Amino acid sequence: MSWKTRHRSFYYQGAPEPDDLHFKPAETALLVIDVQNTYLERPERATLDAAGQAHYDAWTPFHDRMNGMVIPRTAELLRLARKNGIECLFARIACQTKDGRDRSLSQKMPGWNNLLLPKDEHASQLVPQLAPQGDEIVVTKTTDSALTGTNLRLILHNLGIRNVICAGIFTDQCVSSTVRSLADESFQVVVVEDCCAAGSDLLHDQELAIINMIYCHVMTTDELKTMMKLS
């Protein structure tokens, strides 16, 4: 099954296959979203109490996916993008103030999404494996969408970008919000499914089906490489 028939929601059952995509490298950007230290670093399991160990175990599949697939394949995409003249950009969650008073409401809500990530602290930095090189652009946001809370739309326009390839985390949150914003701004969007992750594979797969074909096209790294003739 190819990207043209995979991840179809209720709305697109039986719909015709999309046309081939023709992305010119000079008009295309690779956007890596929120792959930051805070999401990848963990304490030693043995130091945790029973509740902490249960939480640790629940998140182990995510960490396995990130370390075994998402980060290595995203690093390979970055290498190919740089080699082939595709602009590489990055988004990260970070607030300007130490106490986070400039955060959006969604990042002040109690629970898992209560994010206090001051811009200069280690937790808010992008992971070393996916670090920007040279003058590659990083936008800082306190929103889910990388467009809503930054000047990324203007940056893409000024760069002459028409197509955006998205990778990163979390598929059902910041990736999805960014993809929807890009689509609303009439960018053509590809989400690279094996360069993204959600808290669970179920959430990841559900969100891909929701956004596919209306806000973006979902494909694998290998399918993208074939489509754009990247080597």
Side-chain angles (χ1 to χ4, degrees):
M1 186 179 294
S2 77
W3 66 271
K4 295 187 176 188
T5 54
R6 203 166 53 244
H7 297 300
R8 291 203 172 202
S9 72
F10 171 85
Y11 301 106
Y12 284 92
Q13 296 299 321
E17 293 186 6
D19 294 334
D20 292 341
L21 303 180
H22 300 284
F23 284 8
K24 297 178 181 178
E27 297 177 347
T28 303
L30 171 60
L31 176 63
V32 181
I33 301 166
D34 298 353
V35 189
Q36 298 170 243
N37 291 327
T38 188
Y39 298 119
L40 274 299
E41 296 180 348
R42 301 210 281 178
E44 290 293 327
R45 187 180 185 280
T47 66
L48 304 173
D49 61 17
Q53 289 185 357
H55 180 80
Y56 183 102
D57 293 343
W59 277 93
T60 292
F62 166 80
H63 286 273
D64 289 346
R65 178 181 178 88
M66 289 299 298
N67 291 305
M69 178 190 299
V70 172
I71 291 176
R73 295 187 187 181
T74 304
E76 173 66 4
L77 271 190
L78 285 167
R79 184 189 70 80
L80 291 170
R82 289 162 181 152
K83 178 181 176 183
N84 288 274
I86 296 170
E87 195 80 39
C88 297
L89 300 100
F90 303 81
R92 69 183 181 113
I93 299 171
C95 52
Q96 301 297 315
T97 58
K98 288 287 186 180
D99 64 1
R101 62 187 182 276
D102 61 305
R103 292 174 297 166
S104 60
L105 178 61
S106 66
Q107 292 183 7
K108 295 176 182 177
M109 298 290 283
W112 183 80
N113 202 47
N114 185 357
L115 298 171
L116 179 57
L117 295 170
K119 61 184 175 63
D120 295 325
E121 294 189 1
H122 173 76
S124 70
Q125 306 307 308
L126 300 169
V127 299
Q129 303 97 309
L130 305 181
Q133 295 183 6
D135 63 354
E136 291 173 350
I137 295 167
V138 181
V139 295
T140 299
K141 62 192 177 73
T142 57
T143 54
D144 275 17
S145 169
L147 269 72
T148 301
T150 75
N151 65 336
L152 180 59
R153 184 202 60 79
L154 179 61
I155 290 171
L156 293 171
H157 174 76
N158 289 346
L159 292 170
I161 299 301
R162 300 179 62 186
N163 318 302
V164 182
I165 301 162
C166 291
I169 54 178
F170 288 81
T171 314
D172 55 324
Q173 298 185 29
C174 291
V175 172
S176 176
S177 292
T178 299
V179 165
R180 290 165 184 258
S181 295
L182 287 165
D184 283 344
E185 297 287 347
S186 293
F187 291 96
Q188 289 199 92
V189 185
V190 164
V191 172
V192 187
E193 62 181 90
D194 48 337
C195 289
C196 295
S200 72
D201 287 345
L202 177 61
L203 287 170
H204 172 75
D205 290 338
Q206 286 176 333
E207 191 62 33
L208 292 180
I210 290 169
I211 62 177
N212 187 38
M213 295 191 69
I214 181 168
Y215 302 110
C216 66
H217 290 295
V218 177
M219 60 183 66
T220 65
T221 301
D222 286 343
E223 288 170 331
L224 177 67
K225 288 161 61 177
T226 298
M227 180 187 81
M228 294 196 68
K229 300 179 173 60
L230 301 177
S231 60

